Amino acid sequence: MDIVLVTTVIASLFLVIGVAEPLASRLRLPYTVILAVLGILIAVAATFFLRTELTDALNPVAEAILGLPIRSNVFLYVFLPTLLFQATLGMNLRRMLDDWVPILVLAVVAVVAATLSVGYALSWASALPLASCLLIGAIVSTTDPSAVVSIFRSLSAPRRLARIIEGESLLNDAAAIALFGLFMGFVMLGTKDPSLGDALARFPVLIAGGAFVGWLAARVAVWVMALFSHHELAQISISVALPYLAYIGAEQSIGASGVIAVVAAGLTLNLTGPGHIPPQAWTNLRELWDVLAHWAGALIFILAALLIPRLLEEVRLEDFVLVGVVVLAAIAARAVILFGLLPLLTALKLSPAVERPYRAAILWGGLRGAVTLALALAVTESFRVPDGIQRVVGILATGFTLFTLIVQGTTLRWVIGRLGLDRLSPIDEALSRQVVAVALQTVREDIARTTENYDLSHDTVRSEAKRFGERLDAAVSTAEESADILDRDRVTLGLIALAGHERDTILARVRERTISARMAEQVLSDADRLIEGARTQGRSGYQRASRRSVAYGRAFRAAVLLNARLGLSGPLARLTADRFELLLSQRLILRDLDTFIDGRIRRIHGRRVAELLHELLARRVEAVETALEGLRLQYPGYAEKLERRFIRRTALRLEEREYTAMREDGLIGAEVYTALMQDLGARRAAAEERPRLDIALRRAELVRQFPLFADLDKTALKRLGRALQTRYVNAGEVVIRKDSAAKSVFFIASGAVELETAGQTWRLGRGEMFGQMAILIRKARRTEVRAIAPSTLLVLDETRFRRFLGRSTALQAAVRASAEKRGIEPQRLLPAGDDPS
């Protein structure tokens, strides 16, 4: 085939891609539907010109179009890794982990359910072998959520909902293709009734093998990219090679799932890349992948659509009945998951609630597309699959895809409108009217200043001012009619706005490099949780998300356990350093939010709401300061190093701004500017390096700060430091339960706890102790102790405490004072022993 002709055809396809997006916007149809329709029209037109005798001038072009080397391997080895890899790079993994239950249910359980539903329905309705029916079920079980996600975004649907659908789309391709590989093997071997147990038993092996290959490939790639830190194009080039090598390596080396390998590689790079790749290089890398994925997604739809006329050449009347069976079975299986299993998981508090209208939209938005056609093409190309089965698979997969695209795709926006998802809630309607009134008042003030500065004609100014004033009066009147918004709703809306501004501030700080790329994703995830918490549960949801942002997570607890039991300090050192930097970043951001409350929220929602938001913000600042103080006590000097690093990075940013301004003003030439920026880049690379944290707990330093241990000498302090164990607790966590055995005494290094006994409560803070009374009077504990802030506790066992009590007069005085405070006679306390060691 003439290379010039092929190049012309491919370039023309890119022209079609460029036209399709604005056309879809104008027609208010999903982008993928427009691509599929254009692809079918191109194929039909090429076939017509090739067969007609009206003209032969276009025959070479028609032959080039129909003769394009479109094979299933092109889709599976070129386009599919591109789409999957870009999707993993664009995901907010920390937020995805919050919704892993519904994502896995929709991605894995729903795929298996659809495969079985379609497979057994076809087996009942046709004479096809069960293996072939299950193969068809696996082919049609993948969904392309791009249409419903794009519409949800245009409607300002909850971010969590769009995130769940995106997570489903990423994993359901992997699950469906893995099942496709299993059943394809049975069909090629001629197994009519495969054992479902044997098939599913091989499923975990495919997944585990692919995940390991992808993880290993990504770790090697990140290591190499870190070595090339000053060569951005080299780093981007390595990222381009990564998904394809991972896919081929998994498929060809160990027979695992290449799709899973690509997903694992992308997730690993997403998690580890920001900490090893410079921020600008990481941003450029993701932008490149966005472009590659856009092209790949468009080409895979157009090229797959070119095949549809060929796949439907031998269609028969009975095939329409089987297509109907596939449609009904697939929709029924998805409906059972959405309206049966998801509500059950929500009732069990394993999944966030998804409102019924959104579930209906997800059901109708489960479009099928290029992946389904690519898998069907792989079956039709295989010489080891009988011809009759090839024909049926191609027709059913193509017919079902056309139904979802033409019927569901073109009516999806109408369905969403009928469900009421395209309308603002009454609260948002009222808020929008108030926002318009406030905005117009600000605009009037700015316009007045502008007209004065430019000395415009008085008649023109008077005419426009009158016109603008009429609009302002109408907006104020409309807003006053909506003044009945409840204060509770105003607080919720104010918190959503505050959290949104916090997210914008974080992004600005990341661009300025004040916040490192390592911390950016986590801080942004915390801001997203605040937005969603406020949106779904108001003030309580916002407060719950804010407490979680400073809490000790499961990974931190696991790292503490590894350090205590196995002596592996690396994970704990890394996570503690991350916590230090995270808290410093949060404190930096929170300091900027008071101005936004006074400048914006007060004008829209009033003084009472603004004061309440100030109070909530002050609590957050206090919680962050408390958590930081606890870390400073444990690791004195490390916070100072991080703060010095922050100052250096800020100074470098300001220095870069000055050089850029001088270059733009013509004060320095290109050569001088380049030299200055190279020197600045070297110093910035050094400043980006985070100081190393020595995880060896300096308990002697920590113990020395307790007034209770003031009378101990250095030797005793050293022994006591070795005897104490560190325990981290989150706000709300129970430290001591009632009626539990008394075995330890606790000293508060940072944070605060609340004691409850006999209907009375006490609060203890830093430097105080609890748990000693039950030990000394030899009775079961009658007190429940609960942390009211993330706290660091030092724990001493009973034997050492008794010995220590006998030698410390300060501790004896503290025990007596505590006993008197609780109405216990000090004489009831038992005498202590010797040395605490």
Side-chain angles (χ1 to χ4, degrees):
M1 188 180 297
D2 185 7
I3 187 63
V4 175
L5 200 55
V6 173
T7 303
T8 303
V9 170
I10 295 176
S12 301
L13 292 181
F14 274 93
L15 185 62
V16 171
I17 293 171
V19 171
E21 190 169 5
L23 182 61
S25 176
R26 187 174 184 83
L27 296 177
R28 297 177 61 81
L29 290 173
Y31 177 52
T32 52
V33 172
I34 295 298
L35 287 173
V37 170
L38 291 176
I40 294 172
L41 292 177
I42 292 172
V44 171
T47 303
F48 170 78
F49 283 115
L50 190 62
R51 295 179 179 178
T52 185
E53 297 180 355
L54 297 177
T55 178
D56 294 331
L58 295 177
N59 282 0
V61 177
E63 291 176 351
I65 292 174
L66 297 177
L68 285 174
I70 306 173
R71 299 289 182 269
S72 61
N73 284 344
V74 175
F75 294 107
L76 298 179
Y77 282 88
V78 178
F79 295 133
L80 190 59
T82 307
L83 296 175
L84 294 175
F85 193 73
Q86 183 274 335
T88 58
L89 290 182
M91 291 171 59
N92 188 331
L93 296 181
R94 290 182 175 86
R95 302 298 291 116
M96 287 286 183
L97 291 176
D98 293 342
D99 300 314
W100 68 272
V101 173
I103 288 174
L104 282 183
V105 166
L106 286 173
V108 179
V109 178
V111 165
V112 174
T115 300
L116 298 179
S117 175
V118 172
Y120 281 100
L122 276 178
S123 179
W124 170 78
S126 69
L128 291 172
L130 178 60
S132 302
C133 295
L134 292 173
L135 176 64
I136 296 171
I139 290 173
V140 302
S141 62
T142 62
T143 59
D144 174 26
S146 57
V148 70
V149 168
S150 63
I151 293 177
F152 279 177
R153 284 175 176 169
S154 68
L155 299 175
S156 299
R159 293 183 185 178
R160 171 174 258 175
L161 185 60
R163 190 168 55 243
I164 289 173
I165 300 171
E166 287 176 321
E168 175 211 359
S169 72
L170 177 67
L171 297 180
N172 75 5
D173 283 347
I177 292 173
L179 283 176
F180 167 81
L182 288 175
F183 294 122
M184 185 69 170
F186 289 129
V187 171
M188 290 190 298
L189 293 174
T191 307
K192 295 185 178 180
D193 297 313
S195 170
L196 199 58
D198 293 342
L200 295 179
R202 291 176 53 195
F203 197 57
V205 177
L206 291 174
I207 294 176
F212 174 76
V213 171
W215 172 82
L216 182 62
R219 294 296 298 180
V220 173
V222 169
W223 176 72
V224 175
M225 292 163 77
L227 295 178
F228 301 156
S229 58
H230 299 295
H231 304 278
E232 181 180 319
L233 294 179
Q235 293 176 325
I236 295 176
S237 300
I238 292 170
S239 77
V240 172
L242 173 59
Y244 306 105
L245 294 179
Y247 190 98
I248 295 171
E251 291 273 347
Q252 304 298 325
S253 61
I254 61 174
S257 171
V259 174
I260 296 292
V262 172
V263 171
L267 295 178
T268 305
L269 183 61
N270 191 342
L271 284 173
T272 61
H276 295 83
I277 301 172
Q280 189 58 48
W282 179 252
T283 301
N284 293 339
L285 182 150
R286 290 181 59 170
E287 289 177 352
L288 172 69
W289 274 103
D290 289 342
V291 174
L292 292 177
H294 176 72
W295 288 342
L299 285 173
I300 195 174
F301 256 100
I302 292 178
L303 294 176
L306 291 175
L307 302 172
I308 289 178
R310 186 193 312 172
L311 292 172
L312 294 179
E313 282 180 344
E314 301 180 17
V315 65
R316 302 170 185 170
L317 183 62
E318 59 267 24
D319 294 331
F320 289 99
V321 177
L322 295 182
V323 170
V325 170
V326 173
V327 169
L328 293 176
I331 293 178
R334 193 163 175 81
V336 168
I337 298 297
L338 287 169
F339 293 94
L341 187 55
L342 268 187
L344 177 62
L345 294 175
T346 301
L348 296 175
K349 297 183 177 180
L350 295 175
S351 169
V354 179
E355 299 297 332
R356 181 181 292 270
Y358 286 112
R359 279 181 275 149
I362 294 172
L363 174 64
W364 196 246
L367 309 184
R368 271 60 169 184
V371 174
T372 298
L373 293 177
L375 296 180
L377 182 61
V379 176
T380 61
E381 290 176 354
S382 176
F383 65 90
R384 298 176 64 182
V385 176
D387 292 340
I389 295 177
Q390 286 185 16
R391 188 193 70 82
V392 174
V393 168
I395 290 173
L396 295 187
T398 305
F400 181 60
T401 301
L402 287 175
F403 172 85
T404 62
L405 289 174
I406 296 174
V407 178
Q408 293 178 238
T410 56
T411 59
L412 179 57
R413 192 174 290 273
W414 176 82
V415 169
I416 286 178
R418 296 291 295 176
L419 292 171
L421 297 178
D422 58 346
R423 295 189 293 272
L424 290 176
S425 66
I427 296 176
D428 288 336
E429 281 279 4
L431 174 66
S432 67
R433 289 192 284 268
Q434 288 200 328
V435 167
V436 169
V438 172
L440 289 180
Q441 289 175 359
T442 304
V443 170
R444 181 177 64 178
E445 297 168 2
D446 293 340
I447 286 292
R449 287 192 296 269
T450 302
T451 54
E452 290 177 4
N453 293 337
Y454 288 95
D455 193 22
L456 300 177
S457 167
H458 291 293
D459 292 338
T460 303
V461 171
R462 189 181 303 112
S463 172
E464 289 300 316
K466 180 181 178 181
R467 183 178 179 184
F468 187 85
E470 292 173 354
R471 185 185 174 200
L472 176 59
D473 291 340
V476 171
S477 175
T478 306
E480 289 174 350
E481 294 174 1
S482 306
D484 56 346
I485 303 177
L486 298 176
D487 283 349
R488 179 187 60 191
D489 296 329
R490 290 186 181 277
V491 170
T492 297
L493 294 170
L495 288 173
I496 293 171
L498 183 63
H501 180 70
E502 181 174 344
R503 194 179 195 282
D504 293 339
T505 305
I506 292 168
L507 290 171
R509 296 291 188 184
V510 171
R511 286 192 294 268
E512 295 171 354
R513 301 190 182 183
T514 305
I515 295 178
S516 68
R518 180 196 294 269
M519 284 293 102
E521 290 293 335
Q522 189 167 349
V523 181
L524 286 171
S525 295
D526 291 337
D528 287 339
R529 289 192 184 96
L530 290 170
I531 294 171
E532 291 175 5
R535 189 179 294 277
T536 56
Q537 297 176 311
R539 188 194 311 183
S540 61
Y542 181 90
Q543 291 176 308
R544 187 178 298 110
S546 67
R547 288 194 297 269
R548 178 174 178 176
S549 68
V550 297
Y552 296 103
R554 295 178 182 174
F556 192 91
R557 292 173 175 275
V560 170
L561 190 64
L562 286 174
N563 182 61
R565 299 288 176 84
L566 304 178
L568 299 176
S569 62
L572 182 57
R574 180 176 59 81
L575 291 176
T576 304
D578 285 347
R579 181 172 174 79
F580 254 122
E581 191 170 356
L582 174 67
L583 292 172
L584 286 172
S585 300
Q586 286 182 335
R587 186 181 66 175
L588 172 70
I589 296 300
L590 293 178
R591 298 292 186 186
D592 296 336
L593 298 183
D594 282 307
T595 305
F596 179 75
I597 295 175
D598 291 330
R600 287 287 184 178
I601 293 179
R602 182 187 293 269
R603 298 188 65 180
I604 296 175
H605 296 295
R607 180 177 57 83
R608 285 186 301 174
V609 173
E611 290 176 351
L612 179 58
L613 263 58
H614 277 303
E615 181 183 343
L616 292 174
L617 188 59
R619 292 180 188 173
R620 287 187 64 195
V621 172
E622 182 182 357
V624 170
E625 292 287 3
T626 300
L628 263 177
E629 184 62 24
L631 287 174
R632 282 196 180 99
L633 288 170
Q634 269 189 280
Y635 308 101
Y638 188 74
E640 180 184 347
K641 292 180 181 178
L642 287 180
E643 288 170 349
R644 289 181 183 276
R645 174 173 172 253
F646 163 73
I647 293 172
R648 292 192 191 104
R649 285 163 50 188
T650 303
L652 289 169
R653 175 177 58 84
L654 297 175
E655 186 178 350
E656 180 182 13
R657 186 185 66 185
E658 290 299 314
Y659 293 156
T660 303
M662 292 179 184
R663 175 73 178 91
E664 292 174 351
D665 293 340
L667 297 176
I668 58 176
E671 297 83 359
V672 175
Y673 177 76
T674 302
L676 291 172
M677 294 304 294
Q678 287 177 347
D679 175 65
L680 185 69
R683 285 183 286 125
R684 173 169 281 151
E688 288 291 335
E689 289 293 326
R690 189 166 65 183
R692 183 177 177 275
L693 174 64
D694 183 6
I695 202 60
L697 298 179
R698 303 169 184 170
R699 291 198 186 92
E701 298 268 350
L702 191 56
V703 168
R704 190 175 291 112
Q705 301 178 45
F706 276 77
L708 297 176
F709 310 139
D711 57 347
L712 296 181
D713 57 29
K714 290 184 178 180
T715 305
L717 280 174
K718 190 173 181 180
R719 292 176 181 174
L720 182 62
R722 287 198 301 265
L724 290 166
Q725 298 295 320
T726 306
R727 179 176 173 184
Y728 303 91
V729 292
N730 287 320
E733 186 174 339
V734 176
V735 182
I736 294 178
R737 298 186 182 277
K738 289 182 179 180
D739 301 322
S740 61
K743 297 180 180 179
S744 304
V745 178
F746 300 83
F747 302 90
I748 304 174
S750 67
V753 299
E754 187 174 75
L755 286 69
E756 181 182 351
T757 181
Q760 292 183 306
T761 59
W762 293 273
R763 287 192 173 185
L764 304 179
R766 177 183 151 197
E768 298 185 276
M769 66 176 171
F770 59 91
Q772 72 278 8
M773 292 301 168
I775 286 178
L776 295 176
I777 63 178
R778 296 183 181 276
K779 286 188 176 181
R781 301 188 190 276
R782 299 299 181 190
T783 302
E784 181 172 279
V785 182
R786 186 185 303 271
I788 56 177
S791 304
T792 302
L793 307 177
L794 300 180
V795 187
L796 192 63
D797 63 67
E798 177 183 358
T799 304
R800 289 189 172 93
F801 173 73
R802 289 182 179 278
R803 292 177 183 174
F804 173 46
L805 183 62
R807 299 180 60 87
S808 172
T809 56
L811 187 60
Q812 292 170 12
V815 169
R816 291 192 184 95
S818 179
E820 292 172 355
K821 185 177 180 180
R822 302 183 196 185
I824 301 174
E825 297 180 4
Q827 291 78 8
R828 294 179 57 194
L829 304 181
L830 298 177
D834 302 313
D835 184 60
S837 64

